Amino acid sequence: VQSFTILSDSTISAIISSTNTSGKLSITSSGVTGVSNDSLFIKPTIISFDPLNVRIGSNLTINGKNLTGTTSVKINGVAVQSYTVTPTKIIAVVASPATYGAIEIKTIGGTALSGTYIEPIYTWSGDVDSAWTRNTNWVSNAVPPNANASVNIPITFNSYPTLSSNVTVRKLFIGSSTTLNLKNFNIDVKDTLTSSGSVIGSGSLRMSGTTPQ
């Protein structure tokens, strides 16, 4: 520990240091060491994560401290699909309907939130047809939840998406040689649009955010 004070024959006050990890307590006095029956669980810390932009269904690596005993991993309140834990690392599979927000880790020792937000990406595959709302047309069968999802439409040899209702997304990426068919519906982009492809149809692509385009 960083420091300690003996308050009485039965009480010690100690300040935990940044290098301490969860585990049993030991106290040595006059050459004799006593070890606690129970473990002390220290509040977890998130140091970093990779990647910052993660595709739904792919792995997210979270680096931190005191991660042993993790009971929950969430992105903006949505639980990940699965995860494995070591004392300093969590590898999690990102699940729908996760959207832009903080990573939250809960352990027996407490809760940690990432200081930086993560951007889950919903990626079009067009494996079945052009229906935007069909889950099997998206990687990992994950249709973007409306309003705060970031969407990637990459080049594919399959069908390109066609709207059947109005849609709102956070970010929209339209790849080279790809086409988004609005028909007579609108798509609102709350943050940024990155496009080297085509948008067709009588509907509107509207920028509703404050980021200059």
Side-chain angles (χ1 to χ4, degrees):
V1 295
Q2 180 176 317
S3 62
F4 66 90
T5 302
I6 300 174
L7 301 179
S8 69
D9 288 342
S10 60
T11 305
I12 293 176
S13 175
I15 297 177
I16 302 296
S17 77
S18 60
T19 59
N20 287 137
T21 58
S22 299
K24 294 183 181 294
L25 301 176
S26 64
I27 298 175
T28 301
S29 177
S30 301
V32 178
T33 299
V35 180
S36 65
N37 292 324
D38 298 324
S39 293
L40 171 68
F41 291 95
I42 300 174
K43 184 178 179 180
T45 301
I46 298 174
I47 298 174
S48 64
F49 59 86
D50 183 66
L52 293 176
N53 301 313
V54 59
R55 192 179 72 181
I56 296 295
S58 61
N59 286 348
L60 167 68
T61 299
I62 305 167
N63 301 300
K65 296 191 301 182
N66 299 308
L67 303 179
T68 300
T70 292
T71 58
S72 172
V73 180
K74 295 181 178 181
I75 297 174
N76 197 19
V78 176
V80 298
Q81 180 178 317
S82 61
Y83 59 89
T84 59
V85 181
T86 71
T88 59
K89 181 178 293 186
I90 292 175
I91 298 178
V93 178
V94 179
S96 175
T99 55
Y100 180 72
I103 298 171
E104 177 192 86
I105 294 174
K106 288 187 177 182
T107 72
I108 299 173
T111 301
L113 291 174
S114 62
T116 303
Y117 281 9
I118 187 171
E119 187 90 65
I121 305 293
Y122 291 76
T123 302
W124 175 264
S125 65
D127 287 341
V128 177
D129 54 29
S130 63
W132 178 283
T133 55
R134 189 184 301 279
N135 65 335
T136 47
N137 282 326
W138 296 89
V139 173
S140 296
N141 295 332
V143 178
N146 208 23
N148 205 34
S150 292
V151 172
N152 178 34
I153 304 172
I155 188 169
T156 176
F157 293 107
N158 300 318
S159 301
Y160 289 114
T162 298
L163 299 188
S164 57
S165 62
N166 294 333
V167 171
T168 301
V169 299
R170 174 176 147 74
K171 292 183 178 181
L172 178 61
F173 306 87
I174 304 176
S176 176
S177 302
T178 66
T179 300
L180 170 62
N181 187 351
L182 303 179
K183 293 190 74 175
N184 59 334
F185 300 101
N186 302 323
I187 184 166
D188 286 286
V189 182
K190 295 170 61 178
D191 194 300
T192 56
L193 167 67
T194 304
S195 176
S196 52
S198 301
V199 178
I200 63 174
S202 59
S204 298
L205 192 159
R206 303 185 298 204
M207 303 302 302
S208 57
T210 58
T211 304
Q213 301 297 311

